[in-house]
Amino acid sequence: MSTYFSRPDREEFGLCSHAMSVSEIIDFDDFSDIEIKKIAGYRKENNYELIIEMERIHLGFKFRGYVKGFTDEIEIFKFKRPDKLLVNNWQSWGPSKVIEKDFRLDFPDDLIQKFGFSVSIMPELYFDNLISDYYIASEHFLVGGLSSKVAHPYFQLDENEVSVKLRYFGIRFEQWQEIEPVVILFDDTDKVLPYYADLVAKENRVALSGKRLVGWSSWYQYFLDFDYEKMCTELENTRRRGYDVFQIDDAWEVDIGDWTPNSKFPSLEEVAAKIKEYGYVPGIWLAPFSVSETSTLFKEHPDWLVRGEDGNPRVAYENWNKRIYALDTTVPQALNWLANLFQNLKKCGFEYFKIDFLFAGAIQGKRLENVTPIQAYIQGITTIKKAVGDSFILGCGAPLLPSIGYVDGMRIGPDTAPYWDVSSSDIGYPNAYYSLRNALTRWFTNGIWWWNDPDCLMLRKSDTQLSDVQRELYTLTSLLLDNMIIQSDNLAYVMDDRLWSIVSEYRKYGRRKVHLSGIMSGQYNITSCGVDGCDSLFITDLEDCVFTYSKDTVDIELIKTVELKDDGRTFNYYNEK
Amino acid sequence: MMERRYNVLTDEWVMVSAFTQQRPTNPTTSCPLCVGGDEFSIPYDLASFDNRFPSMKVDAPEVESDSRLYKRARANGKCEVVVYTVEHNSAMSLMPTYQIEKLIKMWVDRYLELSLQPAIKYIFIFENRGAEVGATLSHPHGQLYAFPFLPKRIDAKMQSLTKYYDENKRCAICDVVENELATNERLIYENEGFIAFVPFYARWPYEVHVYPKRHISSLVEMNNSERSLLSKALKIVTMKYDLLFQQSFPYMMMLFQSPVNDVRYDHAFHFHIEFNPVKRDKNKIKWMASVETGTWAFINPKLPEEAAAELRSVEVVI
Ligand SMILES: [Zn+2]
Ligand SMILES: [Zn+2]
């Protein structure tokens, strides 16, 4: 066993010292184009060569480039650190938030080992440095990586400067290798964020499925205490609620890594068939890159796991009171196993896959093939996508940029919870408050990278510490942002029916066009337009749930009916109510 | 046969749709859009349906493209006929504004629904009115084309407007609106939400553009009161047209919105409507001839300020 976190071994990652250093610091509040042009050109370092090309694009500049040789890390350029910055964590649960100059990371020591790599793909840097992954934005500009297929684009902040870096984790390129493109975009944050998201989507050739789902999940009601009987009871209670999907969460499996039903469930065919009886798409949860120390998979295939420098399997994180290891997705047999696992689930009837703790597929360590953790991750997620075909994939606990183009939906915040705690640490721990904060600060990826999953709505009035107003704000935000809507309640409880009727109202028609402004101020103003007009939600104080919601006045109510003619043509009729 | 072919000389796509040749040029019998006609057996208020003779289809056949020179692509778009009303003898100029508001709501629904298809890149809503612009049916209707690519002139607009934005940090159309309101030389109508005017850069003698005063990039971003204001603007422009020469005025009405499945132009592109009428006088047509077609350069025989004055002086009451 190799526990990376109990004994952070800096030597192991001492390769960072090979990173080249760019001396000039650009001040984006006062610069000339010449300073930006200087970033481009040919550089020769001790171990590698680098070519960077600059292209002028709408709102700013794009850098493409090529690297050859042994590379641990490339610094592309440095810029003067503005006082206020929007920073972002690499995976679903991590915070995306605005920080001021005096911000200091406050991470409880006793959670470091448990969280493992979930906090960062570079835990050796994370706790002593300020890091933003993928993108960073001030009030007037944004710098961001357009892809993460080989390297990890990130920003290292010190007191006065921000260094723009691509981390390659010590890899040798014999041939010229294209680097991840980076853009600088100048405009108000609220304008550049969606624009940046779209550039990323185009770079990764995203063709987003039109499936915007409404569903039910077992997790935030039952957690691990869920079984087939409860499932059947809930299914009975779902009648007329208009869900698309019904998803069983963590609770059904023998162990993390042993993805067969435990004694609380019949066969998976039966589970899926039961859900289908009610007209829903059967959904299932699993953590495909995670392998628990107690699993049969761990015992039988220790050679399928990512290893530390000592050659022993490396702990990726701890959960379920167990050490969890990571599947080495460069081992052909492990990839086969992964493909079979998903093909089999699909054969059983599941067509919605919530795949969780995905960051485990991208931890640093030794793998069979000498690839970067990002390349390994992409091999894993590609295998899953291929196996499930056009079924819906919801990513969770996932590295954001490398998942683009592979998932249909994505959790974009920490787990929600039946409580709203504004005083706890902002570290990705379950909390409705931080969960909703991330839904707001990452709003701009929705419908562009994937459908954002702001995590489940809990509409029950008992068995929860959420207040009416917290529940209302959560629901309205998810709806106005046009996110995925998954409810997690025991449906026998008394519900906030008014909120559910608002959900049904909003989901009657197609997509919405959304804009959010105020990200840097923390006063979020959402304008959300649909067939019935433009509604707005202005959150002046998220902590205390102070907001104004205004719904557009609807004078004309059109009822749409759709007819499919014998010749295959569709007719849409619109009649007044 | 249905496919797209690439023109390597101009970097544009041509839609080849062989059966458009068989389309009826002159429907002799009853109107297909009236109840009891070819398309509708039951009464309706408004409707939008798949064109019987489309040049693009969502499930268009796969095409093979193996030539470097002659590229082909699937015509996987959509062509819909958008019927404004069941009243055969109506027109935008004759309809109650309330009916136009319903039409706008239907446009919004079509736009949002079609934008859920990842292959769709642009939704073009338009109306050809009058035989002079090739309309074969007089029943009030328009059409929409959902393109799987960005058509050439649309791309030109995006490029031009983003360039202006980069140079001036402003939306060009917001600036045009401000300018027209300030000079009042070319306005023909104005309400709280919209201006209608003959643009400085008009290509056609009586060309009229309708711009929202507020920066929005698509129909969808209008609130309900703006939809109502737009319906008034559309009604007034088309009424002025009909009254100008005391005849049913032929025009092409085109809605220009930001591309779908793409938000890159939202801040620089400003939703607008163009009316391109072909009449230069009561009995004279300005044709899209060699210069216009071959070079995309237009010679406008009418001073836009004069056209605006004429249209402004046409009194309409709604
Ligand atoms: Zn008719
Ligand atoms: Zn504008």
Side-chain angles (χ1 to χ4, degrees), chain B residues 17-308:
Chain B
S17 178
F19 55 50
T20 49
Q21 301 308 320
Q22 303 148 20
R23 75 168 61 242
T25 45
N26 196 4
T28 45
T29 52
S30 65
C31 169
L33 303 182
C34 276
V35 177
D38 278 357
E39 304 292 12
F40 296 102
S41 51
I42 45 162
Y44 61 92
D45 190 356
L46 301 96
S48 190
F49 64 91
D50 289 339
N51 198 316
R52 199 178 277 268
F53 306 100
S55 45
M56 296 179 287
K57 270 163 78 175
V58 174
D59 57 351
E62 296 288 343
V63 296
E64 269 182 42
S65 178
D66 41 20
S67 165
R68 187 172 49 84
L69 185 63
Y70 294 148
K71 282 191 254 177
R72 300 163 196 270
R74 277 181 81 197
N76 53 335
K78 210 164 193 289
C79 298
E80 291 189 8
V81 178
V82 182
V83 190
Y84 297 177
T85 169
V86 75
E87 306 279 344
H88 183 88
N89 291 319
S90 188
M92 194 169 269
S93 55
L94 301 171
M95 277 191 252
T97 54
Y98 187 69
Q99 189 70 19
I100 305 177
E101 256 186 276
K102 286 195 262 182
L103 170 63
I104 294 169
K105 190 160 187 165
M106 175 165 74
W107 281 341
V108 171
D109 183 64
R110 298 319 302 141
Y111 182 88
L112 287 169
E113 187 192 314
L114 293 168
S115 76
L116 274 172
Q117 301 199 22
I120 302 298
K121 302 277 190 293
Y122 197 76
I123 295 171
F124 187 61
I125 298 171
F126 62 97
E127 176 186 344
N128 294 328
R129 185 196 190 205
E132 293 86 344
V133 296
T136 48
L137 300 172
S138 63
H139 195 118
H141 74 286
Q143 297 181 59
L144 76 80
Y145 275 25
F147 291 98
F149 61 96
L150 213 55
K152 199 71 184 170
R153 185 158 180 262
I154 307 299
D155 189 47
K157 285 195 174 196
M158 299 303 152
Q159 296 316 320
S160 184
L161 289 168
T162 50
K163 186 173 142 220
Y164 185 91
Y165 190 97
D166 277 335
E167 285 166 0
N168 302 283
K169 295 285 163 239
R170 300 243 328 153
C171 157
I173 296 183
C174 283
D175 281 355
V176 169
V177 171
E178 210 171 87
N179 192 285
E180 293 305 320
L181 285 169
T183 61
N184 202 10
E185 274 181 300
R186 286 169 291 264
L187 284 186
I188 65 162
Y189 171 74
E190 178 203 351
N191 62 33
E192 303 95 279
F194 294 83
I195 61 166
F197 67 114
V198 180
F200 172 76
Y201 33 81
R203 304 187 302 173
W204 300 86
Y206 289 97
E207 183 166 336
V208 168
H209 289 195
V210 176
Y211 296 173
K213 289 181 174 174
R214 187 167 71 86
H215 182 88
I216 52 173
S217 67
S218 67
L219 275 170
V220 182
E221 293 151 69
M222 290 191 295
N223 58 38
N224 288 320
S225 78
E226 286 168 326
R227 290 182 193 176
S228 157
L229 291 165
L230 176 60
S231 71
K232 278 196 194 120
L234 292 176
K235 166 102 177 159
I236 282 169
V237 170
T238 50
M239 278 178 86
K240 279 175 179 277
Y241 272 161
D242 282 1
L243 290 169
L244 182 65
F245 300 132
Q246 298 290 332
Q247 58 175 215
S248 168
F249 199 69
Y251 60 72
M252 296 173 261
M253 179 190 73
M254 298 165 282
L255 277 65
F256 294 93
Q257 311 186 66
S258 192
V260 293
N261 293 309
D262 194 337
V263 299
R264 291 175 297 167
Y265 305 101
D266 285 5
H267 52 275
F269 186 84
H270 192 119
F271 163 63
H272 58 282
I273 298 177
E274 286 188 10
F275 283 90
N276 287 193
V278 293
K279 289 259 171 155
R280 54 192 292 179
D281 210 328
K282 185 164 183 152
N283 301 310
K284 285 198 207 115
I285 300 278
K286 176 178 165 57
W287 297 103
M288 181 96 181
S290 297
V291 175
E292 292 83 357
T293 309
T295 70
W296 229 19
F298 280 70
I299 301 115
N300 186 347
K302 180 110 196 159
L303 198 62
E305 291 72 21
E306 277 174 19

Side-chain angles (χ1 to χ4, degrees), chain A residues 498-562:
Chain A
R498 188 183 66 95
L499 288 182
W500 185 254
S501 68
I502 295 176
V503 170
S504 312
E505 184 68 28
Y506 269 91
R507 286 309 168 106
K508 204 164 50 186
Y509 288 113
R511 181 176 203 167
R512 306 183 70 77
K513 180 126 185 153
V514 179
H515 191 76
L516 181 148
S517 60
I519 253 189
M520 297 305 276
S521 69
Q523 297 203 318
Y524 308 101
N525 200 351
I526 305 170
T527 310
S528 176
C529 304
V531 175
D532 281 334
C534 291
D535 303 338
S536 72
L537 180 65
F538 186 28
I539 306 171
T540 43
D541 183 346
L542 182 63
E543 265 191 41
D544 289 335
C545 282
V546 184
F547 63 89
T548 330
Y549 166 58
S550 59
K551 193 154 170 40
D552 207 348
T553 323
V554 184
D555 318 316
I556 300 173
E557 287 206 62
L558 284 185
I559 305 292
K560 174 169 127 184
T561 42
V562 182

